Amino acid sequence: MAQSWSFLDVCESDFRPLVVIELAKSAKAETVEWFTKRIVDKKAKGGAQLLVKPLLTEKEGENIYLVGASHLRLLLGAETVGLVKKCSDNSMRTFTYSSRKTFKDFADDNHDFLTMAECQYIIKHELENLRAKDEKMIPGYPQAKLYPGKSIVRRLLTSGILVQIFPLHDREELKKLCHSWYGRVKVGYQPLDDVRCYFGETIALYFAFLEYFTFALIPMAVIGIPYYVFAWEDYDKYVMFATFNLLWSTVILEVWKRVCATMTYRWGTLLMKRQFEEPRPGFHGVLGIHPVTGREEPVYSSIKRQLRIYLVSLPFVCLCLYFSLYVMMIYFDLEEWALDYHEENDSNLSSLMLFVPSIIYAVVIEVMNRIYRYAAELLTSWENHRLESSYQNHLILKVLVFNFLNCFASLFYIAFVLFDMHLLRQSLATLLITSQILNQLAESLLPYWLQKRYNKRMKKRLCSPKIDKDLSLVEQVNLEKEMGTYYGTFDDYLELFLQFGYVSLFSCVYPLAAVFAVLNNITEIYSDALKMCNIYKRPFAEPTANIGVWQLAFETMTVISVVTNCVLIGMSPQVSALFPDSKMEHILTVALVEHLLLAIKFTIAFVIPDKPRDVQIKLAKLEFESLEALKRQQMKLMVESLKE
């Protein structure tokens, strides 16, 4: 870096509010003064060298502060976090302040070179990296212990002194995004680049995957309709449909990797270097020395953690799985009662009653999934994982195992124990449609209605002549700080994962599953966009290069779907009739076909490259140029040492 941090001066004229910090009303004055001073202090003194301004409101005792940064500070922060930007020659390179003139659209007076989301991400990074120096505690709170290297923001959060930190919306840009994204019903692609600029790569990738998955479902839906209408019991044709489904599910996931690589290269996150992961806020332990960083931080025995996982978490998960199976058996008792009722009465009402057990069971499944999710979060936090990635992986594993069994166990039982294909179709359709309706209500419509009610109350309360000229900003902050917090894309990907299971696991039994999935996803795009723009606080942008562990989850589902569809087709009367005398030969033939399809699946996955050829060449070229630059630097040092 050509410049040092010392030349950066805090200039009030550069102030642009980007991030809101809300401290507890009971926070002591000396604590607030110390914390704001650390935010403003120069980097050489251990500060963040940002700009802070208190938000003046009519409410007494509120501790709300607006945080911003000078343009120069943000540029230096962009280098610190390793942002990748487009150069004048259209190549993507890691931004450095010394070579800023080589980047496309850069000018010293162009404050739009960095997107607002990138600026907020930089501020979040700087705040999270405010670390204790010689302090032993947070001033005014002797119980809130500090040690050298401890994140100050994380200690304030865990101590309840810091209520929340969130990025502000840009109202003008949000209006434009809303109009182009969901403001009008249209047939076309989402403005993913605009979504990425406003919300960051993680959220943009989710919407990109949702859109891609919806378009990928259309061939299955188009083919499924005539199969449903004209060939209901023709298992020979269903063999072709199921085979197409299995190949389709593999191809779309492999093609998605290529689409994802193209997008993230264009956005710059494919080139971003993975930063060293800091301990998560909830991690606790005895103070010790980390063997990699050499810094003091809490140390917790991995043996204790493993004991908690295997002696407490694993039995708890097994107990929940047993309870899920117990509820499933109650559902089958209800199904039997409804069938008996229909046989006794044989009326329109009794015909409708046949669907009641499945609807009730679908509602119970959703309720159990949400209760278990809450319990899994508590349990995973109690396991005391050091890293956020480790915490997320253990949480995802717990939730996926339970949700998979809870949602699909009854279908497997009907298919492979009861051998009732009619009931399987009915249950699959009811579970799929009911779960989609409940998710739309719980995730979008209900929160939107509650938020609209709250906004009306807040506007009436804030429209007072006593409030000064900062009315719009005060109103915006007060409205946004009470909005719900968006906790990430976990639930959204989980919903798509379960939907993918309904479509792929039993495709040969209910071809219309893809049709309902397409219809749901079209509304999901609009409702999720509405949710992000109007219901929740603006989340901080999080750079990412792919959809992470969810790619593996979807690929695992395709393997399971190969097995289930092969067994279902093998159980059909037409296939069974081919082996009247030898059951073993029947089983071996089905197993052989299943292994053959798996071999084809893995061959397709191997043959299709994860990155397009042009992206591979660009990445290789950048790596070559980096090595050449390193060689030139080494030669320069060698020549200078010889001169001496």
Side-chain angles (χ1 to χ4, degrees):
M1 187 185 298
Q3 303 276 11
S4 66
W5 290 102
S6 60
F7 77 101
L8 258 176
D9 293 323
V10 175
C11 180
E12 192 68 24
S13 62
D14 290 333
F15 186 79
R16 176 194 179 197
L18 293 169
V19 173
V20 176
I21 293 178
E22 183 182 3
L23 298 168
K25 292 181 180 179
S26 60
K28 297 180 180 178
E30 60 179 309
T31 309
V32 176
E33 183 182 355
W34 168 78
F35 181 46
T36 53
K37 185 176 183 300
R38 288 298 301 270
I39 295 174
V40 173
D41 272 350
K42 294 184 181 297
K43 294 286 285 186
K45 295 181 180 179
Q49 211 157 341
L50 301 173
L51 306 176
V52 178
K53 178 183 177 182
L55 183 72
L56 302 177
T57 65
E58 282 194 328
K59 293 182 181 179
E60 293 185 4
E62 282 198 329
N63 285 316
I64 300 176
Y65 291 84
L66 305 173
V67 183
S70 66
H71 180 56
L72 190 55
R73 176 67 182 86
L74 291 170
L75 291 176
L76 293 170
E79 180 176 348
T80 302
V81 300
L83 287 185
V84 176
K85 305 293 285 185
K86 182 179 284 189
C87 291
S88 300
D89 61 358
N90 288 326
S91 64
M92 304 296 296
R93 299 181 190 279
T94 304
F95 178 82
T96 58
Y97 185 77
S98 59
S99 62
R100 61 192 182 279
K101 300 290 186 182
T102 64
F103 287 87
K104 191 174 183 179
D105 299 327
F106 179 85
D108 290 325
D109 59 348
N110 179 18
H111 290 204
D112 295 327
F113 175 70
L114 298 175
T115 67
M116 188 176 182
E118 288 172 338
C119 295
Q120 291 167 334
Y121 171 68
I122 291 166
I123 289 178
K124 173 176 174 275
H125 176 270
E126 296 298 338
L127 290 174
E128 288 182 343
N129 280 277
L130 274 176
R131 301 193 176 278
K133 296 175 72 179
D134 301 325
E135 301 96 336
K136 302 295 182 185
M137 63 177 187
I138 293 175
Y141 294 87
Q143 74 279 10
K145 302 296 182 184
L146 290 173
Y147 50 83
K150 172 64 180 176
S151 171
I152 292 173
V153 168
R154 296 185 180 197
R155 173 56 72 209
L156 289 170
L157 280 169
T158 54
S159 301
I161 303 166
L162 177 59
V163 178
Q164 60 179 335
I165 299 178
F166 63 91
L168 273 173
H169 275 294
D170 183 330
R171 288 294 167 182
E172 291 302 316
E173 289 299 319
L174 185 62
K175 285 179 184 177
K176 294 177 185 176
L177 179 61
C178 291
H179 178 72
S180 62
W181 197 3
Y182 68 89
R184 49 200 170 90
V185 178
K186 63 183 187 301
V187 178
Y189 296 105
Q190 300 175 88
L192 293 174
D193 288 337
D194 294 337
V195 175
R196 174 254 170 182
C197 286
Y198 195 86
F199 288 110
E201 290 77 17
T202 297
I203 289 172
L205 265 186
Y206 160 70
F207 281 99
F209 182 73
L210 174 58
E211 178 182 274
Y212 172 83
F213 184 51
T214 304
F215 277 107
L217 281 167
I218 291 175
M220 289 294 299
V222 171
I223 296 172
I225 291 172
Y227 267 92
Y228 180 84
V229 175
F230 301 113
W232 187 256
E233 297 296 339
D234 194 338
Y235 283 91
D236 297 331
K237 292 186 175 65
Y238 275 119
V239 170
M240 296 172 60
F241 182 76
T243 304
F244 173 77
N245 187 327
L246 302 174
L247 298 177
W248 163 86
S249 61
T250 301
V251 170
I252 65 164
L253 292 177
E254 292 304 315
V255 173
W256 163 251
K257 291 180 185 177
R258 295 168 62 84
V259 173
C260 181
T262 303
M263 278 192 302
T264 52
Y265 176 82
R266 186 174 73 246
W267 295 341
T269 51
L270 191 63
L271 303 171
M272 285 187 73
K273 294 179 180 177
R274 184 175 176 271
Q275 297 189 355
F276 185 79
E277 206 171 348
E278 298 288 340
R280 51 186 295 272
F283 178 66
H284 57 84
V286 181
L287 197 61
I289 304 295
H290 190 267
V292 176
T293 63
R295 290 201 301 247
E296 273 193 312
E297 65 174 52
V299 176
Y300 188 78
S301 170
S302 60
I303 297 176
K304 288 183 180 179
R305 185 181 300 112
Q306 295 300 319
L307 288 174
R308 289 186 173 192
I309 292 172
Y310 290 109
L311 296 183
V312 179
S313 297
L314 184 60
F316 174 80
V317 172
C318 292
L319 182 64
C320 290
L321 295 178
Y322 172 78
F323 181 74
S324 174
L325 294 175
Y326 181 77
V327 172
M328 181 190 75
M329 298 312 296
I330 295 175
Y331 156 66
F332 285 121
D333 289 340
L334 288 175
E335 282 283 0
E336 188 176 350
W337 170 82
L339 188 60
D340 292 341
Y341 180 82
H342 176 65
E343 289 176 352
E344 289 176 6
N345 296 275
D346 195 15
S347 62
N348 291 331
L349 177 62
S350 65
S351 298
L352 290 174
M353 287 295 293
L354 291 174
F355 293 93
V356 171
S358 295
I359 294 173
I360 294 174
Y361 185 50
V363 174
V364 171
I365 284 176
E366 290 299 318
V367 172
M368 288 171 62
N369 284 345
R370 295 179 186 277
I371 294 174
Y372 176 81
R373 166 72 187 277
Y374 178 72
E377 287 178 349
L378 291 178
L379 203 59
T380 311
S381 295
W382 178 75
E383 290 169 4
N384 198 26
H385 296 278
R386 178 180 176 272
L387 302 178
E388 184 65 27
S389 60
S390 176
Y391 169 85
Q392 288 294 334
N393 289 339
H394 280 80
L395 177 62
I396 288 172
L397 180 62
K398 289 186 184 73
V399 173
L400 282 186
V401 169
F402 180 81
N403 277 256
F404 183 86
L405 186 79
N406 201 30
C407 293
F408 301 123
S410 61
L411 302 179
F412 280 100
Y413 186 84
I414 294 170
F416 304 124
V417 177
L418 300 181
F419 305 111
D420 190 339
M421 294 301 110
H422 177 73
L423 180 58
L424 180 60
R425 285 189 208 105
Q426 176 187 310
S427 298
L428 177 58
T430 307
L431 290 175
L432 175 62
I433 296 169
T434 306
S435 65
Q436 289 176 344
I437 293 172
L438 291 175
N439 280 322
Q440 292 284 1
L441 289 172
E443 292 181 10
S444 298
L445 296 179
L446 180 60
Y448 178 72
W449 178 72
L450 293 174
Q451 188 61 41
K452 289 286 285 185
R453 287 188 61 190
Y454 171 78
N455 287 352
K456 287 181 181 178
R457 291 200 307 269
M458 284 298 297
K459 285 178 181 177
K460 288 180 182 178
R461 194 184 308 167
L462 287 168
C463 286
S464 169
K466 296 181 181 179
I467 297 178
D468 60 12
K469 60 183 179 182
D470 285 332
L471 171 64
S472 60
L473 183 60
V474 171
E475 182 179 9
Q476 180 182 348
V477 172
N478 278 285
L479 285 173
E480 290 183 20
K481 77 183 181 70
E482 298 298 333
M483 284 180 167
T485 301
Y486 182 69
Y487 291 107
T489 55
F490 184 98
D491 289 327
D492 298 312
Y493 278 119
L494 179 62
E495 185 180 344
L496 286 179
F497 172 77
L498 296 175
Q499 182 190 90
F500 184 65
Y502 284 123
V503 172
S504 61
L505 287 177
F506 304 97
S507 60
C508 62
V509 173
Y510 192 63
L512 282 186
V515 176
F516 288 111
V518 169
L519 295 175
N520 174 78
N521 288 358
I522 291 172
T523 59
E524 186 83 14
I525 289 173
Y526 287 95
S527 63
D528 281 355
L530 174 73
K531 176 175 69 177
M532 294 305 307
C533 295
N534 290 292
I535 297 176
Y536 292 118
K537 295 185 191 77
R538 183 180 188 173
F540 280 104
E542 289 293 339
T544 187
N546 50 54
I547 63 173
V549 70
W550 291 105
Q551 180 78 35
L552 178 62
F554 278 86
E555 289 173 357
T556 304
M557 183 69 83
T558 62
V559 175
I560 299 173
S561 69
V562 170
V563 179
T564 56
N565 280 280
C566 284
V567 175
L568 281 173
I569 293 171
M571 288 165 46
S572 67
Q574 287 84 348
V575 175
S576 299
L578 299 175
F579 307 94
D581 301 323
S582 177
K583 190 174 182 180
M584 182 57 67
E585 186 180 351
H586 181 195
I587 295 172
L588 291 175
T589 303
V590 172
L592 179 63
V593 172
E594 175 253 335
H595 279 63
L596 180 62
L597 288 172
L598 283 176
I600 295 172
K601 169 191 158 40
F602 289 121
T603 302
I604 292 172
F606 177 77
V607 168
I608 300 176
D610 291 349
K611 298 180 182 69
R613 180 65 177 166
D614 61 322
V615 174
Q616 291 180 27
I617 292 172
K618 290 173 182 176
L619 292 175
K621 185 178 178 181
L622 285 175
E623 185 178 358
F624 172 75
E625 290 175 356
S626 299
L627 291 173
E628 288 296 305
L630 182 61
K631 286 179 184 178
R632 287 194 296 269
Q633 184 69 19
Q634 290 174 341
M635 287 295 294
K636 184 179 177 181
L637 293 173
M638 188 181 298
V639 170
E640 289 177 356
S641 63
L642 289 173
K643 286 180 180 179
E644 295 176 357

